[in-house]
Amino acid sequence: MSSHPVPRVSNPGTALIAAVDIGGTKIAAGLVDGAGTLLHRCQVPTPARESAESVFAAVAGAVDALAEHPLWSEATAVGVGSAGPVDIRSGTVSPVNIPGWRDFPLVEQVQKHPAVGDRPVVLGGDAVAMAAAEHWRGAARPYRNALCIVVSTGVGAGLVLNGQVHPGPSGNAGHLGHISIDPDGEPCACGSRGCLEGLASGTAIARHARAAGWRPSGDDDSAVAVARAARAGDPPALAAFDRAARALAVGIAGTAALVDLEAAVIGGGVAQAGELFLAPLRRHLDSYATLSYTRGLVVAPAQLGTDAGVIGAAALALAATR
């Protein structure tokens, strides 16, 4: 269990929300005040390939660690962001990257945690939570209509429409990673084929680079290592990032044509490559976002980094319980 120290105590009279962000790699938990300041954070690995019970035990462990903090008693609600798809109506989740969770009753299980007590539990998708965080405290603040995208092991996204986060009835609106952009493409774990996630994710970048002849200098063959090689001018590595950026540009342009956006905010591990990824993304977007109302779409890096999921889960809970 890793944790961050508390930078300050909460302000008297300010709401305090407990939040959990569940992804395929890590489970982060934190305490967030009503101004969106993360006061405390802890993190555990996600045993994503283990049983449903083992995965939830890790979630419960993160909540246990959070409940030991002196500010826990001030928390008025628990926000939970999970990899999806989610179903906010039934409180269940079926993350593509956590095979043991299919229609898993996450809200019910969190509510049963002894430390949670009678606090309301509010569920949201992890990418919707990221959108809520970036709209509240990050790069999407200036915009009333934005697409906030997480490009990491997978690709997720959330929408801000007319100044409000738009989760949709099930909580999955904006699920960009599983829009098919290549009808003849490779099968996807979601059951479809040619999904954006299979072309633009960090996993896809590393896979395409290897297929094109890139070889890591050590044991690290992740997208991070591909990024290092690309910065050094390695042609297959550069081509892998360009290919991913082009695929993401197709998805963003299609979304902009559909819902009329002002900005696309890009976060997640792949976005940490900075202009190596964002520059070709902007270039390709110019080729696909050609309608008068889609041209000039702002592409901006996310500002909240790995804290976005926790802050966003808190934002969703705060909005739902006001």
Side-chain angles (χ1 to χ4, degrees):
M1 171 76 67
S2 60
S3 63
H4 293 174
V6 182
R8 63 175 178 80
V9 298
S10 61
N11 293 325
T14 299
L16 189 69
I17 304 293
V20 182
D21 173 34
I22 303 166
T25 303
K26 63 177 175 59
I27 298 164
L31 295 169
V32 181
D33 71 12
T37 302
L38 181 60
L39 303 176
H40 177 68
R41 186 183 190 275
C42 56
Q43 180 177 307
V44 298
T46 304
R49 298 297 166 183
E50 297 183 17
S51 67
E53 293 76 16
S54 295
V55 178
F56 185 73
V59 175
V63 175
D64 286 336
L66 211 56
E68 293 175 359
H69 193 275
L71 292 177
W72 171 261
S73 61
E74 298 182 30
T76 58
V78 180
V80 181
S82 173
V86 304
D87 189 333
I88 59 175
R89 298 162 298 194
S90 65
T92 59
V93 300
S94 303
V96 172
N97 55 0
I98 304 179
W101 276 7
R102 291 296 175 264
D103 297 318
F104 184 78
L106 183 57
V107 169
E108 177 185 327
Q109 292 301 309
V110 173
Q111 286 174 330
K112 288 179 179 178
H113 192 288
V116 172
D118 60 358
R119 295 176 177 89
V121 177
V122 177
L123 174 65
D126 57 352
V128 173
M130 179 265 197
E134 290 291 336
H135 186 53
W136 189 16
R137 292 292 309 271
R141 286 183 77 177
Y143 307 106
R144 290 182 55 79
N145 298 279
L147 178 66
C148 298
I149 307 167
V150 181
V151 187
S152 188
T153 307
V155 176
L159 286 165
V160 176
L161 300 178
N162 297 319
Q164 301 290 327
V165 176
H166 180 74
S170 69
N172 296 289
H175 202 3
L176 190 66
H178 293 285
I179 291 175
S180 179
I181 64 170
D182 181 359
D184 298 317
E186 296 179 1
C188 178
C190 75
S192 185
R193 63 188 312 125
C195 288
L196 176 61
E197 181 169 290
L199 295 166
S201 66
T203 307
I205 289 171
R207 184 175 65 248
H208 181 73
R210 289 192 298 270
W214 170 77
R215 295 293 179 266
S217 58
D219 294 333
D220 184 4
D221 63 351
S222 68
V224 174
V226 179
R228 287 196 296 267
R231 289 192 187 94
D234 183 86
L238 285 166
F241 268 91
D242 186 78
R243 176 179 182 266
R246 183 183 181 192
L248 188 60
V250 173
I252 293 171
T255 307
L258 187 66
V259 298
D260 200 357
L261 298 171
E262 298 166 86
V265 173
I266 316 297
V270 172
Q272 298 303 309
E275 290 303 305
L276 180 67
F277 184 64
L278 296 180
L281 174 60
R282 294 186 183 103
R283 186 179 71 252
H284 287 302
L285 195 57
D286 285 342
S287 299
Y288 292 104
T290 57
L291 295 170
S292 60
Y293 67 96
T294 63
R295 287 198 298 267
L297 186 72
V298 173
V299 174
Q303 294 178 353
L304 299 178
T306 57
D307 293 335
V310 173
I311 294 172
L316 296 175
L318 188 61
T321 55
R322 274 178 173 158

